[in-house]
Amino acid sequence: MYKEPDIASGSFFPGFFLHNSAIMNNQLTYQRQRQRALAFLLAASVDAVFKGQKRLILDHSFGDGYFCHFSDFSPLTDDQLKMIHDYMEHLIKSCRFIEKRDATSRDWRHLGGPDHANHRPPILSIGEFKSPSYEATELDLSKLPQYELKSYNSGFLIRDGRGENGSLRPFKDYPKLFSTMEEYESWGRILKVHSVIELNAQIKSQDFKELLWVAEALHEKKIAQIADAIKKKSTAKLVFIAGPSSSGKTTFTKRLANQMRVNGMYARTISMDDYFIDRDQMVPLPDGTLDFESIDCLNLTDLQRDMESLLKGESVFLRSYDFKAGKARILPEKISLGPGDLLIFEGIHGLNPIITSHLNSDTYFKVYISALTQLNIDNHHPVSTSDARLLRRIVRDSKFRGYSAEQTLTRWGSVRFGELHNIFPYQEQCDMMFNSALIYELAILKRHAYPLLRKAPQSDVRDRLLILLRLIHTIPERFVPGTSILREFIGKSYFHY
């Protein structure tokens, strides 16, 4: 029997159930500062244990930690992992604090970024090991959560405690997500870009146009593969597309519909938001606000009834939701599904089993989309996937919704709460995943996001994003195709939204 994930028990991290954007922002920042301290300790310990003979790569975030491997992909034994863990414990007990000092020009010369002379983040050190610090890091080692090193795939995971009082949760694997991340890694090898250093080198050498075109071609190829998989599942008439904020769901949906036309099928799109209940029927949260990202805000009875009717070949009325008035509207226009037709449902709850609990699994196909960037600043600093999406959202909110960067940053904690509660627990329920990240996108977003962030009040998140953008050269956006997912955020898309 299906059971909702136990959010209130702290299965994500302490106090997760408190739906307050400021509280969530603070919790996420604190969690991230401790995670970065553990990553720094790991890098220092690998350097000490292998005496500089092995290069550690913190590849990307995964689950409740980072996926790591050596640069030569040589395997680690359990004994070697224990040696690294033991040395981390030695550093925690003997050093107590990570030291921080101002950076010199020599510390930053290797990055080749455009703005280092005036903006050099500090250097962290412990013992003989040192590393640049691109964001706030917990310096007091007594405040670190529980952690473990766990063999995984071709490398290992460093997991940090996000349960009650910083305790480790039982390990939960996400094989589909990891496979998607590894696919994107292979794209990086095709594009010959894994780091900010390599991205800047291509931009300065004017090779960025080929980089951009190939990155877009890889996207189109993957969308075509998803369309082929949907066609192959000949009994599927409904397609559900879900993903976190600023993943590019709308543009992906339109491009998928085009690929379905190539396959001889016609796809119409419905937003699940059109099935919201009236605002006065929504149950407010303890602080009086409404959580529009809760599945309880959907009229599940009508949504499931219309799905069943469409699968039977019957017609149903289209809907629209008036967010200003907070009222659902039933439109006079009807739709039905013919022999070669598909209906695409776009919405954050598309992967939730409750939505399709009444349907035969042969009748639908589920796609998860997210911007899982694999770009690293250097070997020990992967760019956060949530930061990449936040930059997209800051640009879009300013350009199309009239929000300042400050307003978007303030709301981000609430957005993240909704993602952790309503989307991420179900990502492995999908049939296929699509990674909407583009290796070059930060070089485009910088022109828009950087001036917006400079106007925002100081905060750890704002400062972290500014540091990241300062490291990257820009690309003229005229080279971005009109069908690119990036156009959903920067404007001038060929699609109508």
Side-chain angles (χ1 to χ4, degrees):
M1 182 176 176
Y2 170 71
K3 184 180 180 222
E4 283 281 343
D6 187 8
I7 303 299
S9 69
S11 59
F12 285 99
F13 45 83
F16 174 83
F17 60 94
L18 293 173
H19 189 278
N20 178 287
S21 194
I23 292 174
M24 279 294 297
N25 277 332
N26 289 337
Q27 288 177 328
L28 290 167
T29 297
Y30 180 55
Q31 171 193 305
R32 184 157 174 153
Q33 290 174 357
R34 299 191 304 171
Q35 187 181 37
R36 283 309 313 164
L38 283 172
F40 177 76
L41 281 181
L42 173 63
S45 299
V46 168
D47 186 69
V49 168
F50 293 96
K51 301 182 175 10
Q53 299 302 305
K54 292 285 187 182
R55 281 202 305 141
L56 175 70
I57 308 293
L58 265 77
D59 212 336
H60 53 75
S61 59
F62 182 69
D64 49 9
Y66 291 111
F67 173 68
C68 314
H69 59 81
F70 290 147
S71 58
D72 60 0
F73 288 94
S74 57
L76 272 82
T77 65
D78 290 340
D79 287 342
Q80 288 174 323
L81 277 180
K82 186 177 185 305
M83 289 170 61
I84 298 170
H85 183 276
D86 289 347
Y87 199 86
M88 291 177 70
E89 288 294 300
H90 162 71
L91 290 176
I92 291 171
K93 292 175 183 176
S94 62
C95 297
R96 296 182 58 194
F97 292 93
I98 297 171
E99 301 294 331
K100 184 168 74 171
R101 65 167 173 81
D102 291 338
T104 66
S105 58
R106 179 179 299 180
D107 294 320
W108 287 89
R109 194 173 298 149
H110 68 288
L111 270 173
D115 208 9
H116 298 161
N118 300 319
H119 301 95
R120 295 191 188 117
I123 299 298
L124 302 181
S125 64
I126 191 165
E128 298 298 316
F129 184 79
K130 67 178 183 179
S131 174
S133 175
Y134 303 99
E135 60 183 278
T137 302
E138 177 60 66
L139 303 179
D140 186 346
L141 300 181
S142 68
K143 295 182 179 179
L144 297 185
Q146 292 182 12
Y147 67 95
E148 74 165 348
L149 306 181
K150 179 181 178 62
S151 293
Y152 188 84
N153 200 273
S154 58
F156 66 97
L157 304 175
I158 177 168
R159 303 179 58 230
D160 57 276
R162 301 181 189 181
E164 196 67 36
N165 299 318
S167 60
L168 278 168
R169 306 175 314 204
F171 174 66
K172 183 175 181 180
D173 199 4
Y174 299 93
K176 292 180 181 177
L177 181 65
F178 188 82
S179 176
T180 300
M181 289 178 160
E182 289 295 284
E183 179 183 48
Y184 195 82
E185 283 288 324
S186 70
W187 290 6
R189 288 190 287 274
I190 292 171
L191 298 166
K192 299 180 181 179
V193 173
H194 291 91
S195 69
V196 169
I197 300 171
E198 293 167 337
L199 176 60
N200 282 340
Q202 291 218 25
I203 294 172
K204 287 190 288 186
S205 68
Q206 297 296 303
D207 288 339
F208 66 83
K209 285 182 279 189
E210 183 177 353
L211 170 72
L212 187 152
W213 295 331
V214 175
E216 293 288 348
L218 288 167
H219 263 194
E220 195 62 31
K221 182 176 182 179
K222 185 65 179 182
I223 295 171
Q225 290 172 351
I226 294 172
D228 291 345
I230 294 171
K231 182 176 175 63
K232 187 175 181 180
K233 190 174 180 179
S234 58
T235 55
K237 302 288 286 183
L238 307 177
V239 177
F240 296 93
I241 296 174
S245 172
S246 303
S247 294
K249 295 184 290 293
T250 304
T251 303
F252 169 79
T253 299
K254 293 178 181 297
R255 288 171 64 174
L256 178 63
N258 287 343
Q259 288 292 339
M260 296 312 302
R261 291 293 298 272
V262 173
N263 286 344
M265 304 181 75
Y266 179 74
R268 293 196 62 162
T269 302
I270 289 180
S271 172
M272 282 194 184
D273 291 357
D274 292 333
Y275 281 85
F276 275 141
I277 59 177
D278 290 348
R279 189 183 300 151
D280 58 10
Q281 297 179 30
M282 297 179 182
V283 179
L285 295 164
D287 63 1
T289 61
L290 296 175
D291 180 12
F292 279 94
E293 295 186 340
S294 169
I295 197 169
D296 293 330
C297 291
L298 288 180
N299 188 333
L300 287 173
T301 301
D302 285 4
L303 175 61
Q304 291 175 338
R305 181 199 64 214
D306 285 355
M307 289 179 188
E308 289 183 320
S309 297
L310 288 164
L311 289 173
K312 293 175 183 176
E314 300 171 357
S315 298
V316 301
F317 287 102
L318 286 174
R319 290 169 172 254
S320 177
Y321 193 80
D322 185 339
F323 281 91
K324 188 174 182 179
K327 293 288 185 181
R329 296 169 54 215
I330 298 178
L331 305 177
E333 181 184 358
K334 282 188 171 184
I335 61 167
S336 60
L337 293 177
D341 292 346
L342 284 174
L343 189 60
I344 299 176
F345 283 93
E346 178 202 336
I348 65 171
H349 298 292
L351 302 185
N352 191 319
I354 291 176
I355 298 293
T356 52
S357 60
H358 64 300
L359 300 177
N360 187 311
S361 61
D362 291 338
T363 62
Y364 58 80
F365 193 99
K366 294 187 174 184
V367 181
Y368 176 73
I369 173 175
S370 189
L372 305 167
T373 180
Q374 299 296 283
L375 190 69
N376 284 25
I377 298 176
D378 60 24
N379 289 342
H380 304 153
H381 295 84
V383 175
S384 163
T385 58
S386 61
D387 279 357
R389 289 190 294 107
L390 176 54
L391 285 168
R392 286 180 172 187
R393 186 175 176 116
I394 287 170
V395 173
R396 183 194 64 190
D397 281 359
S398 172
K399 187 170 287 287
F400 301 111
R401 300 179 181 179
Y403 296 155
S404 66
E406 178 184 3
Q407 289 173 307
T408 301
L409 290 169
T410 300
R411 292 184 176 95
W412 189 240
S414 180
V415 172
R416 294 282 286 143
F417 175 91
E419 295 170 352
L420 291 166
H421 190 175
N422 299 309
I423 301 174
F424 297 150
Y426 311 113
Q427 58 193 5
E428 292 289 315
Q429 302 279 339
C430 70
D431 294 288
M432 291 187 74
M433 288 189 178
F434 177 74
N435 186 356
S436 70
L438 289 158
I439 200 73
Y440 71 88
E441 68 179 80
L442 294 181
I444 298 291
L445 293 172
K446 176 177 179 175
R447 289 180 180 272
H448 300 269
Y450 189 80
L452 296 171
L453 285 164
R454 290 194 64 180
K455 295 177 184 178
Q458 188 276 334
S459 69
D460 282 348
V461 178
R462 175 255 195 190
D463 293 350
R464 182 174 73 237
L465 296 177
L466 282 175
I467 289 172
L468 171 62
L469 292 176
R470 285 172 184 143
L471 300 175
I472 298 172
H473 289 286
T474 58
I475 293 174
E477 67 178 60
R478 67 179 179 273
F479 296 106
V480 179
T483 56
S484 174
I485 280 175
L486 202 51
R487 287 289 177 189
E488 186 173 328
F489 307 96
I490 65 174
K492 297 184 179 179
S493 173
Y494 290 166
F495 298 114
H496 176 70
Y497 299 110

